[in-house]
């Protein structure tokens, strides 16, 4: 029985450690975003709406990703102003680049910076050169 117990414990450990790494990577909060942590996505905004938890959800035309400004309504942004500024216009989004079990392509929907032309509408990137 001792040999069987050691084999079981080894197999369980080999499964548990990668599983825990994936869980931690997937659910860790987005904090202290640096310029190297984001991607640049350009596109035309087709819809802006309120999400759960005071989030602002932005839909980009011909893009299946879910983009949102976390607690955007609490950070001074309003849906009316954003709709007037960016709805049906081309914008540049800077979502966080991170692999998770839900974002295997590395595009996490959390927007860290939002620009229209050269104008910055939202920015939470630390030490951003722009």
């Amino acid at each position: 029985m001792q040999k069987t117990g050691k084999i079981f414990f080894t197999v369980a450990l080999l499964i548990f450690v990668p599983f825990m790494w994936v869980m931690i990577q997937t659910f860790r909060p987005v904090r202290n975003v640096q310029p190297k942590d984001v991607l640049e996505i350009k596109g035309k905004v087709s819809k802006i709406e309120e999400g759960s938890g005071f989030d602002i959800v932005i839909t980009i035309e011909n893009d299946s990703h879910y983009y949102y400004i976390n607690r955007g309504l609490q950070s001074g942004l309003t849906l009316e102003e954003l709709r007037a500024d960016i709805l049906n216009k081309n914008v540049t989004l800077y979502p966080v680049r991170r692999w998770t079990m839900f974002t295997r392509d590395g595009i996490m929907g959390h927007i860290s910076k939002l620009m229209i032309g050269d104008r910055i509408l939202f920015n939470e990137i630390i030490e951003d050169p722009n």
Side-chain angles (χ1 to χ4, degrees):
M1 253 342 226
Q2 278 187 336
K3 188 174 185 177
T4 305
K6 287 180 182 178
I7 292 171
F8 175 77
F9 178 73
T10 303
V11 170
L13 187 64
L14 289 173
I15 292 171
F16 179 74
V17 170
F19 175 77
M20 286 308 298
W21 178 83
V22 168
M23 290 296 108
I24 290 168
Q25 183 71 12
T26 298
F27 296 109
R28 74 182 161 119
V30 175
R31 293 191 185 128
N32 302 324
V33 179
Q34 301 291 325
K36 64 177 175 53
D37 298 330
V38 296
L39 297 166
E40 183 179 289
I41 306 285
K42 294 183 180 204
K44 185 176 180 181
V45 176
S46 61
K47 186 167 40 167
I48 301 169
E49 56 193 358
E50 182 176 350
S52 61
F54 303 103
D55 293 351
I56 297 173
V57 178
I58 297 175
T59 304
I60 300 293
E61 207 171 80
N62 300 321
D63 191 338
S64 62
H65 292 92
Y66 177 84
Y67 298 107
Y68 66 96
I69 298 174
N70 191 42
R71 301 204 177 267
L73 296 174
Q74 289 180 329
S75 67
L77 297 172
T78 65
L79 294 175
E80 293 78 24
E81 288 176 354
L82 280 177
R83 286 180 181 134
D85 287 343
I86 66 173
L87 190 61
N88 297 318
K89 296 178 183 167
N90 289 318
V91 298
T92 305
L93 304 176
Y94 293 86
V96 172
R97 173 184 36 215
R98 181 191 297 172
W99 183 94
T100 70
M101 62 191 286
F102 303 115
T103 60
R104 291 185 208 128
D105 61 357
I107 301 174
M108 190 174 187
H110 179 104
I111 299 171
S112 293
K113 185 175 178 181
L114 171 63
M115 294 178 67
I116 182 163
D118 292 334
R119 193 171 126 216
I120 298 172
L121 300 175
F122 175 77
N123 191 0
E124 66 179 11
I125 299 174
I126 297 173
E127 300 176 12
D128 188 20
N130 295 334

